[in-house]
Amino acid sequence: MRWEFHTTPYDSDDLEQLLRVFATDLGLECSFRFPEPIDQFPTSRHEAPGDIHAYLLRVDVEYSAWRRRDEFRRRWCLSDEAQSRVRRKPIQRLIDNAVRKLEEWKS
């Protein structure tokens, strides 16, 4: 089993387009928890060169039918479990940053 965060090659300047892609591809109607990325880092050496801009999203609606259903299986987990399952250091740091940002927002 491989764990991953959904990525899209679309221009991150059009945030509404990104939300539409998530709804179509993953069947998740989302909204941005914060308008700015919580982190950014270069793609891995196995991907096309570029930068990943990571946003923290809130899932507002979860649809049962979605375009990439055959490619992805959704599994929700807490940050501790995600941290233990993800091996890539930038993604582990991303989870830490998301938790820290939410804690700052709550206080």
Side-chain angles (χ1 to χ4, degrees), residues 18-82:
L18 290 175
L19 294 178
R20 286 190 299 275
V21 168
F22 285 119
T24 303
D25 285 358
L26 301 179
L28 300 173
E29 191 171 311
C30 300
S31 56
F32 287 95
R33 176 61 78 179
F34 306 106
E36 69 281 347
I38 57 170
D39 204 351
Q40 73 180 60
F41 47 89
T43 56
S44 75
R45 61 180 169 256
H46 305 292
E47 299 170 321
D51 286 320
I52 294 174
H53 298 257
Y55 292 89
L56 187 58
L57 300 174
R58 180 182 65 219
V59 175
D60 300 314
V61 179
E62 186 176 347
Y63 298 106
S64 58
W66 34 295
R67 180 174 32 193
R68 298 181 71 187
R69 187 177 187 167
D70 295 336
E71 297 174 57
F72 295 100
R73 180 173 64 104
R74 289 188 212 131
R75 172 138 188 241
W76 304 105
C77 58
L78 299 174
S79 59
D80 292 343
E81 182 182 355

